[in-house]
Amino acid sequence: MLTTLLEAFIRPEDFWTLFRVETWEMVLKGLLIGILVSAPMGPVGLLIIRRTMNKGRCYGISTGIGAAISDMIYALITGLGVSFVMDFINDQRYVFWLKLAGAAMLLAFGIHMFLSNPIKGFRQSPNTGRGTVWHNGITGFLITFSNPLIIFLFIACFSLLTFVVPKHWLEMAMGYASILCGATLWWLALTYIIKRMRNKITIRGMLYFNRILGSVVISISFVYAIITLFHLNWLY
């Protein structure tokens, strides 16, 4: 990979050949995965909403960036494990069942999201101070990192989107960077919406929002199950 990069910089006309269609596909897939794993209104999402409302958007964004970094670390851990397995998968039948299992896992996750109460167990605590931006980011990272079950969501997304491509290091690096960007973009958008609609947010509204997200995830799982079952490879 290093040799290829050096040759591309020595010959600028070859630089853009590094960014083939497959690379941009990995970027788009990474953005989608980053949004999918960040969208559920779990403890981190509620914390970001609360900090954005009580402290300001800057503190909500810093918390979201900390969560996004944690997501990327789990994505790397998942990717290393999946790539190790995929090195031994040459039979398309195994790939078929892997994708179908990923669709089932994503469906289960969507149903759980739809039925769960995003504010259950969440309690307001006295605002003892804003803290620093770094402190808010670190707490966002630690809360997200304390939930290793997110690996199963990454496995489902990686399987469905054929995200792991062994021995294509540049494409994978761009993909992982895009996961971080996708998660960050989600938190930027969420904090912007919270800031604009600060006085209109209700508990019922948060519940409906979580159900909408659950419905979207369920729909995506059905779409990819159909794609897998009918071998619609042209959609990958």
Side-chain angles (χ1 to χ4, degrees):
M1 174 183 171
L2 181 59
T3 303
T4 304
L5 287 173
L6 290 174
E7 290 176 352
F9 280 109
I10 293 173
R11 295 178 298 179
E13 66 275 8
D14 295 335
F15 176 75
W16 292 108
T17 61
L18 293 172
F19 298 92
R20 300 187 300 274
V21 175
E22 292 84 358
T23 305
W24 296 112
E25 288 178 356
M26 293 297 291
V27 169
L28 293 175
K29 290 177 181 179
L31 289 173
L32 178 59
I33 291 172
I35 293 172
L36 278 174
V37 299
S38 302
M41 281 293 103
V44 174
L46 293 170
L47 181 63
I48 290 172
I49 291 174
R50 179 185 168 193
R51 285 180 173 175
T52 301
M53 295 178 66
N54 295 340
K55 300 181 180 182
R57 191 182 178 207
C58 181
Y59 293 89
I61 291 174
S62 64
T63 305
I65 292 175
I69 293 173
S70 176
D71 287 338
M72 189 182 68
I73 292 175
Y74 273 125
L76 288 169
I77 294 172
T78 306
L80 289 174
V82 172
S83 62
F84 176 78
V85 172
M86 288 187 69
D87 283 337
F88 296 94
I89 297 178
N90 296 315
D91 194 324
Q92 288 299 315
R93 290 176 298 177
Y94 297 132
V95 177
F96 170 81
W97 288 111
L98 184 63
K99 289 180 180 295
L100 208 57
M105 291 173 63
L106 198 61
L107 174 62
F109 180 79
I111 293 174
H112 173 74
M113 189 192 310
F114 183 88
L115 297 176
S116 63
N117 184 353
I119 62 170
K120 185 177 181 180
F122 182 76
R123 298 289 184 272
Q124 293 282 355
S125 59
N127 188 10
T128 56
R130 292 189 174 188
T132 65
V133 172
W134 285 102
H135 172 265
N136 284 261
I138 291 172
T139 54
F141 171 86
L142 292 176
I143 291 174
T144 306
F145 199 73
S146 66
N147 180 27
L149 294 178
I150 195 173
I151 287 180
F152 292 102
L153 181 55
F154 274 117
I155 292 174
C157 292
F158 284 11
S159 301
L160 289 174
L161 296 175
T162 318
F163 183 76
V164 177
V165 185
K167 300 180 181 179
H168 287 73
W169 308 115
L170 177 61
E171 289 83 353
M172 290 305 303
M174 296 286 287
Y176 285 121
S178 298
I179 291 176
L180 176 62
C181 291
T184 303
L185 286 174
W186 171 259
W187 298 125
L188 287 171
L190 181 64
T191 54
Y192 175 79
I193 293 172
I194 297 303
K195 181 180 178 181
R196 299 287 293 184
M197 303 179 63
R198 181 174 180 177
N199 297 324
K200 299 180 181 179
I201 296 175
T202 63
I203 293 176
R204 184 181 296 272
M206 293 172 63
L207 181 61
Y208 286 154
F209 181 65
N210 206 54
R211 287 181 177 176
I212 291 172
L213 291 175
S215 299
V216 171
V217 173
I218 291 171
S219 300
I220 291 175
S221 68
F222 274 113
V223 169
Y224 275 99
I226 292 172
I227 291 173
T228 302
L229 288 170
F230 292 95
H231 304 285
L232 301 178
N233 295 324
W234 55 277
L235 288 175
Y236 285 88

